[in-house]
Amino acid sequence: MTQILNYIHGEFVPAQNNQTLDNYNPTTGEAYSTLPDSDAVDVVFAIQSAKKAFPKWSALSPQDRSTWLHKIADGIEKRFDEFAHAESVDQGKPLWLSKEMDIPRAILNFRFFAEEILKFEHKQIVPAQEGSTLSHVIEKQPIGVASLISPWNLPLYLLTWKIAPCLATGNTAVCKPSEVTPMTAYLLAQVLQEVGLPAGVCNMVFGTGNNVGSTLTSHPGVSLISFTGGTETGRKIAQSSADKFKRLSLEMGGKNAAIILEDADLTKAVPALIRAAFLNQGEICLCIERFFVHEKIYAEFLSEFIKATEKLKVGDPFEDDTFMGPLVSKAHLDKVTLAIERMKQDKAKILFGGTAEVSVTEKNKNGYFFNPTIVEDLSDCSEMQQEEIFGPVASFRSYKNLSEAVKWANTTPYGLCASIWTQDTDKAAKVASHLDVGTVWINCWMKRDLRMPFGGMKDSGLGREGGHYSFDFFTEMKTVCIQI
Ligand code: NDP
């Protein structure tokens, strides 16, 4: 069994208490590695190390830090297959998806911010206004030690989305990957050591949210917190950090809607929305869980959607034709199963799937598989139309008027993203302006230009990440006023 270790001050170490947790392979249901069950002692050690590293790291030029980021990207690239394999074993996602999405994006996160930091205006000179004798310089400075806390659905992708801008701007980091999927973060720590990143610049502490996370968010040595995860955890983090006025970026849950207008091109909409519902087993914060379809095309759309879903193979993530692997954990499988039971109680009709009865090989019989599920006609106020399921469950409802669909789309506490399908892009733009979400995709889904601001409204988030928006989060502004 691989023994995952913490990476603190450039060294691999067990938790000081010597406790470990088991890490499970969701495809087989077997424990296949252990990770440190760290506590406050390890976290404080890591924070001290990051604090020690800060003066030198923050004094490097953006060019030097950019070079380091490229070295890390090179290090992941060299071990690409190992990373992709590890992500699929640990998370359950198909290997082709790890190779197509997760690992390339992790590499790109480092390369993208390595280039962007060279364009970032660290110092802006504002000349005196006419008639004034005051000129100004606005400086954007690194802040200190950042806590970077990431979830289990896109483990390396989301962790590196935080590490890269944090280090690029001159901060140092203590990372807490999800205890459910620690393996690629551990491999990344090996890369940091291999490339010789100075000790303390980026530490990795493994363990539970309760033991590790809470110290990471409340410790006075931490100046800023970047968190991606569930809304309830985000709320706890906001509370535990409020006392010290820590800077917070929260990327949280969603209950995203697609609105399909009567003139939508179904040959494009159906395949794209199948991915939107079921990619990564529906475990992407941007996945669409609610589909509002114009009544004139409702029957046709639903029938095409079911036909396409029937063709999706659920099974071993290492078989090339698998579209959906297992859910990430037994706890998550139980959560999705319970959601289906609640939907049934709310009189929803299960049109497809809704069960964990998936035919798999003997070796995978204890895996956490769940069928893609299609549900019809939930009222907009039922609990399951309001709460994020974060699994392969798509609910459908027909609408008469667009205003009705927009109202339903907005009727949740969340506001992460939405997708609109129509050939009338002017109309789509008007609909977009009425949706209370951070990102709207028109005739597409989950296309990302990393320069664009990304984040959620309402209970889906606080702040924006991406391009210079990430740099703004990771830097503090100082105004220097000069009498001339
Ligand atoms: P959680 O909120 O359970 O966990 C996220 C991270 O926070 C984990 O590392 C977790 O550790 C840690 N954590 C838990 N409790 C605390 C605490 N008290 N203090 C500090 N850290 C803590 O989310 P999941 O891992 O279950 O991920 C799924 C959620 O993430 C979904 O709601 C999804 O929508 C959201 N998400 C949002 C995205 C966005 O960009 N908006 C992108 C991807 C996912 P541990 O695992 O050890 O408990």
Side-chain angles (χ1 to χ4, degrees), residues 149-153 158 176-179 207-209 213-214 227-230 233 237 251-254 285 388 390 416 454:
I149 304 173
S150 55
W152 48 253
N153 63 325
L158 289 173
K176 196 211 101 47
S178 168
E179 92 202 27
T208 64
S214 50
F227 165 81
T228 299
T233 314
I237 289 176
E251 298 291 347
M252 303 184 284
C285 55
E388 181 186 44
F390 211 55
L416 192 56
F454 176 83

Side-chain angles (χ1 to χ4, degrees), residues 62 66-67 69-70 109-118 168:
S66 167
T67 305
L69 261 52
H70 278 302
N109 286 340
F110 283 108
R111 299 232 187 270
F112 170 75
F113 284 112
E115 292 306 314
E116 286 298 297
I117 196 65
L118 301 178

Side-chain angles (χ1 to χ4, degrees), residues 207-253:
T208 64
N210 278 344
N211 291 341
V212 173
S214 50
T215 312
L216 260 184
T217 55
S218 59
H219 193 280
V222 168
S223 310
L224 60 173
I225 302 164
S226 174
F227 165 81
T228 299
T231 298
E232 277 321 304
T233 314
R235 215 183 296 284
K236 277 192 210 158
I237 289 176
Q239 281 159 0
S240 83
S241 60
D243 214 28
K244 309 271 181 347
F245 304 112
K246 291 178 196 297
R247 186 176 288 206
L248 266 188
S249 168
L250 303 175
E251 298 291 347
M252 303 184 284

Side-chain angles (χ1 to χ4, degrees), residues 194-477:
E194 277 160 20
V195 301
L197 190 75
V201 169
C202 186
N203 303 276
M204 209 75 78
V205 182
F206 297 96
T208 64
N210 278 344
N211 291 341
V212 173
S214 50
T215 312
L216 260 184
T217 55
S218 59
H219 193 280
V222 168
S223 310
L224 60 173
I225 302 164
S226 174
F227 165 81
T228 299
T231 298
E232 277 321 304
T233 314
R235 215 183 296 284
K236 277 192 210 158
I237 289 176
Q239 281 159 0
S240 83
S241 60
D243 214 28
K244 309 271 181 347
F245 304 112
K246 291 178 196 297
R247 186 176 288 206
L248 266 188
S249 168
L250 303 175
E251 298 291 347
M252 303 184 284
K255 185 76 188 176
N256 311 310
I259 300 178
I260 298 111
L261 279 65
E262 62 184 299
D263 67 344
D265 178 347
L266 298 198
T267 60
K268 292 194 176 125
V270 171
L273 289 171
I274 286 282
R275 281 173 73 86
F278 303 129
L279 191 70
N280 207 52
Q281 300 74 243
E283 297 165 335
I284 302 182
C285 55
L286 303 171
C287 275
I288 303 287
E289 294 195 3
R290 298 177 302 149
F291 292 77
F292 302 125
V293 188
H294 192 276
E295 59 179 5
K296 283 200 185 141
I297 57 160
Y298 183 70
E300 186 190 357
F301 185 89
L302 195 52
S303 142
E304 291 299 314
F305 199 89
I306 292 173
K307 262 194 246 159
T309 305
E310 279 166 354
K311 291 188 191 133
L312 301 179
K313 180 176 153 192
V314 185
D316 193 308
F318 291 92
E319 285 169 11
D320 289 345
D321 55 347
T322 293
F323 186 78
M324 278 175 42
L327 299 184
V328 75
S329 65
K330 174 74 170 65
H332 195 52
L333 174 63
D334 292 345
K335 185 189 158 198
V336 173
T337 308
L338 187 65
I340 299 295
E341 287 314 309
R342 288 203 190 140
M343 286 179 153
K344 286 183 190 158
Q345 283 160 18
D346 280 337
K347 312 248 176 316
K349 259 196 258 163
I350 311 289
L351 300 181
F352 188 86
T355 69
E357 288 152 25
V358 174
S359 130
V360 288
T361 56
E362 182 61 19
K363 86 174 159 56
N364 294 343
K365 70 176 193 304
N366 295 323
Y368 314 133
F369 298 94
F370 199 87
N371 283 303
T373 297
I374 300 173
V375 176
E376 188 186 39
D377 212 7
L378 294 166
S379 79
D380 56 342
C381 55
S382 75
E383 193 184 346
M384 284 302 117
Q385 276 291 64
Q386 296 284 307
E387 279 308 311
E388 181 186 44
I389 297 172
F390 211 55
V393 183
S395 77
F396 279 77
R397 193 171 181 196
S398 70
Y399 70 85
K400 269 192 186 29
N401 308 310
L402 250 184
S403 56
E404 191 175 41
V406 169
K407 187 176 134 227
W408 294 342
N410 285 336
T411 313
T412 79
Y414 299 103
L416 192 56
C417 74
S419 178
I420 302 169
W421 291 79
T422 173
Q423 296 184 49
D424 183 342
T425 43
D426 288 344
K427 201 187 243 180
K430 273 192 205 135
V431 174
S433 70
H434 287 102
L435 292 172
D436 303 332
V437 295
T439 302
V440 180
W441 281 287
I442 297 175
N443 294 328
C444 60
W445 173 75
M446 213 170 94
K447 302 276 186 201
R448 291 277 284 118
D449 174 332
L450 301 188
R451 294 167 309 167
M452 295 301 116
F454 176 83
M457 293 185 182
K458 302 196 286 189
D459 287 4
S460 287
L462 190 69
R464 293 291 181 271
E465 296 182 345
H468 74 79
Y469 304 94
S470 292
F471 292 154
D472 287 344
F473 172 74
F474 283 109
T475 53
E476 189 70 277
M477 258 192 272

